[in-house]
Amino acid sequence: MVIHVVRSGETLWQIANRYNVSMNGIIEGNGLQNPNQLVVGQSLVVPVPGTWHVIKSGETLWSISQQYGVTINSIIQANQISNANLLYPGTRLLIPSRIHVIQPGETLWQVANRYGVTVQAIISENQIQNPNLIYPGLQLRIPVQKQTVEVNAYSYQADASGAQTIHELGDFLTYASPFAYLINESGDLQPVRDDLMIQAAIAENVVPMMSITNFTSTAAGSNVAHTILASPEIREKVITNVLRIMEEKGYKGVNIDFENVLPADRVNYNQFLQLTVDRLHPRGYFVSTAVAPKQSATQAGLLYEAHDYEAHGRIADFVVLMTYEWGYRLGPPQAISPVNQMRRVVEYALSVMPAEKIFLGFQIYARDWLLPHVQGQEAETFSTQEAVARAVKYGAAIQYDTLTQSPFFRYVDEQGRGHEVWFEDARSAQAKFDLAKEFNLRGISYWALGYPYPSNWTLLQDNFNIRKLSQ
């Protein structure tokens, strides 16, 4: 895949011609609602065979060519490199596909075995309709071996809408987590309409993961968390209720998302996690947690202090880093998931827990703030597609902040009010995937389904193999 950034005056036809691909391929991969309306700065995923490599310190074109089994010249040509000796760490290179010419009597199985890939990967890469009809001289692109990850997605959609989304995106998901069962101070769980989402998940070979929490958009939940965590009896009741719902509904594991926990309840929270694991593991269920985006063990604040990264990494089966919401809906305009901040969180997490337990959190929506920002004034939240539509409507060129790896633009509405919009695009998605690959993390966790973002899913599949777990 190639990510192309639209320049002034460019048309989709010109872009397709430049890369020798069909316009329909670009339209489908990006979910373009109006292909005739492109905006300067808009990033498009272009279905060009190949994969991306981010140059690391000390690497040479020779070492990179050996890693991917391609020639140095093919890399030079694909990236129009003028000086092969000047490689800068952090630069992204397009690695072209290897080409294999079918020999007499050769089968797809033999080809796949030779290159260490699957037959299905070759079929998909070359869009082979009938695997039995291959012939000598046929040129096949050999897909690059991709890192395998697990993918979770939370959803606070209504049950029917959430189920439809899971059906649409099931191929990209390992887990689906309807959000969320709210715990009250007595240890009871508020009912959730999630039957259709669970059924959809099971039908799509996606593991349904129960989500429990102590907070709402209007209540911090600190007192609720304290009442539960300080009482052995209520803690046991919560776990009993979780088990009952999991068994009744078909959940395979639980994600524990206690937020705004009082610092004094840190040890109690760790004990609650251990108790949950001790009761759920013998029954074959897994336990995961969601943690605030800490960048050090001593980070102060209600969001952070009670989230003990070392304990969560030791006790839970995996941990979701909630690396989003820097651009908070009630705060000033800024990138919502800035990669520079996400990197600091990941680096701290890796200092106290293994990479194979870490999910990188990724928000998939846009925000529109009124200018000048007034503290407490709420930004509007919507999809990345709507963000591009607004840029088109108001003739705003999309800019890209290289520090946070995030797109943004400003516009003036019909009432003369200024706006600033931060969102996600193909470039920002790729930056996050590069981060996950750099540290070999276990997976990606999306917050939250219901906001269309086609280029993300196109790139996710291009970057990774999605692990599917037997149920």
Side-chain angles (χ1 to χ4, degrees):
M1 291 286 177
V2 166
I3 298 173
H4 177 85
V5 180
V6 177
R7 295 191 289 264
S8 178
E10 272 190 322
T11 66
L12 193 62
W13 181 85
Q14 290 171 324
I15 296 168
N17 269 9
R18 173 179 174 178
Y19 294 100
N20 195 28
V21 299
S22 72
M23 288 174 58
N24 281 340
I26 300 176
I27 292 169
E28 292 172 6
N30 296 277
L32 296 180
Q33 297 171 313
N34 191 335
N36 296 318
Q37 290 186 329
L38 302 181
V39 63
V40 174
Q42 180 178 359
S43 67
L44 298 174
V45 175
V46 182
V48 174
T51 191
W52 289 104
H53 175 85
V54 180
I55 298 173
K56 302 179 185 67
S57 180
E59 283 188 318
T60 65
L61 282 185
W62 183 85
S63 66
I64 295 168
S65 70
Q66 293 299 300
Q67 179 180 341
Y68 291 97
V70 298
T71 67
I72 292 175
N73 280 339
S74 68
I75 298 176
I76 290 174
Q77 291 172 8
N79 297 275
Q80 299 178 342
I81 296 173
S82 57
N83 189 336
N85 296 315
L86 288 179
L87 298 183
Y88 300 101
T91 302
R92 296 170 67 235
L93 294 177
L94 177 65
I95 309 299
S97 297
R98 293 173 289 180
I99 302 296
H100 177 85
V101 180
I102 293 292
Q103 302 301 307
E106 202 169 34
T107 66
L108 282 183
W109 181 86
Q110 290 171 320
V111 175
N113 196 49
R114 172 177 173 176
Y115 291 100
V117 299
T118 65
V119 170
Q120 187 56 50
I122 295 177
I123 291 172
S124 298
E125 181 76 13
N126 295 275
Q127 300 181 334
I128 297 173
Q129 300 299 318
N130 187 340
N132 297 315
L133 293 180
I134 62 169
Y135 50 87
L138 177 66
Q139 292 190 345
L140 295 178
R141 291 192 303 270
I142 305 302
V144 173
Q145 288 182 306
K146 296 184 285 189
Q147 181 177 328
T148 298
V149 296
E150 296 178 3
V151 178
N152 172 56
Y154 295 101
S155 176
Y156 53 84
Q157 295 174 275
D159 197 19
S161 299
Q164 181 179 343
T165 302
I166 291 170
H167 279 303
E168 293 170 354
L169 300 176
D171 289 344
F172 306 107
L173 303 177
T174 311
Y175 308 93
S177 306
F179 192 83
Y181 283 82
L182 180 63
I183 309 170
N184 64 27
E185 292 181 342
S186 67
D188 293 321
L189 276 63
Q190 183 175 307
V192 172
R193 291 185 176 178
D194 53 8
D195 295 328
L196 296 178
M197 282 191 275
I198 294 171
Q199 292 170 19
I202 293 171
E204 300 297 335
N205 193 25
V206 175
V207 175
M209 179 165 64
M210 183 180 180
S211 179
I212 64 172
T213 191
N214 64 312
F215 79 103
T216 67
S217 59
T218 57
S222 301
N223 293 333
V224 172
H226 174 72
T227 300
I228 294 167
L229 297 174
S231 167
E233 294 79 14
I234 299 178
R235 290 189 306 203
E236 291 288 351
K237 183 178 180 181
V238 168
I239 299 170
T240 297
N241 284 329
V242 167
L243 274 168
R244 174 181 54 79
I245 292 171
M246 291 174 68
E247 290 169 356
E248 288 175 358
K249 296 204 168 190
Y251 281 112
K252 303 302 180 183
V254 65
N255 181 252
I256 300 172
D257 180 14
F258 276 26
E259 300 189 27
N260 303 305
V261 179
L262 298 173
D265 287 321
R266 176 186 174 108
V267 173
N268 287 335
Y269 189 17
N270 293 344
Q271 291 175 347
F272 174 74
L273 296 178
Q274 188 64 62
L275 286 168
T276 305
V277 166
D278 292 343
R279 289 192 59 184
L280 267 62
H281 273 186
R283 295 175 182 243
Y285 297 121
F286 64 84
V287 177
S288 64
T289 66
V291 295
K294 294 176 68 167
Q295 299 181 2
S296 73
T298 57
Q299 188 165 340
L302 183 61
L303 281 174
Y304 312 104
E305 291 183 50
H307 283 187
D308 184 338
Y309 271 38
E310 186 279 329
H312 285 242
R314 173 170 40 84
I315 297 168
D317 295 292
F318 59 85
V319 178
V320 174
L321 306 181
M322 294 189 287
T323 39
Y324 34 75
E325 288 295 313
W326 275 269
Y328 179 50
R329 61 188 172 85
L330 297 177
Q334 60 178 303
I336 306 169
S337 292
V339 164
N340 60 319
Q341 300 285 14
M342 296 171 74
R343 173 178 289 275
R344 294 188 183 104
V345 176
V346 170
E347 289 174 342
Y348 166 59
L350 286 168
S351 72
V352 293
M353 67 175 82
E356 59 266 25
K357 284 198 175 188
I358 297 174
F359 277 65
L360 182 70
F362 182 2
Q363 58 78 25
I364 50 176
Y365 45 80
R367 288 226 163 105
D368 183 328
W369 285 265
L370 278 173
L371 299 176
H373 175 68
V374 177
Q375 188 62 36
Q377 182 173 266
E378 184 170 353
E380 186 181 0
T381 302
F382 44 76
S383 72
T384 60
Q385 285 185 317
E386 172 61 21
V388 173
R390 291 192 185 190
V392 170
K393 178 179 179 180
Y394 293 103
I398 294 171
Q399 302 176 64
Y400 194 73
D401 182 69
T402 55
L403 176 64
T404 62
Q405 296 286 298
S406 298
F408 70 99
F409 62 90
R410 300 183 182 95
Y411 71 93
V412 177
D413 65 21
E414 293 83 352
Q415 287 76 44
R417 299 176 300 177
H419 293 251
E420 185 167 318
V421 177
W422 288 83
F423 64 111
E424 300 291 335
D425 67 1
R427 290 169 293 179
S428 66
Q430 186 61 56
K432 293 171 177 62
F433 297 153
D434 288 343
L435 184 63
K437 288 192 287 188
E438 178 184 347
F439 293 109
N440 199 29
L441 303 183
R442 175 166 175 165
I444 305 287
S445 180
Y446 288 102
W447 178 264
L449 296 182
Y451 297 98
Y453 185 6
S455 62
N456 163 77
W457 306 109
T458 301
L459 280 171
L460 178 72
Q461 191 171 50
D462 187 60
N463 278 267
F464 302 108
N465 294 314
I466 313 302
R467 179 175 286 117
K468 290 288 188 176
L469 306 176
S470 60
Q471 298 190 44

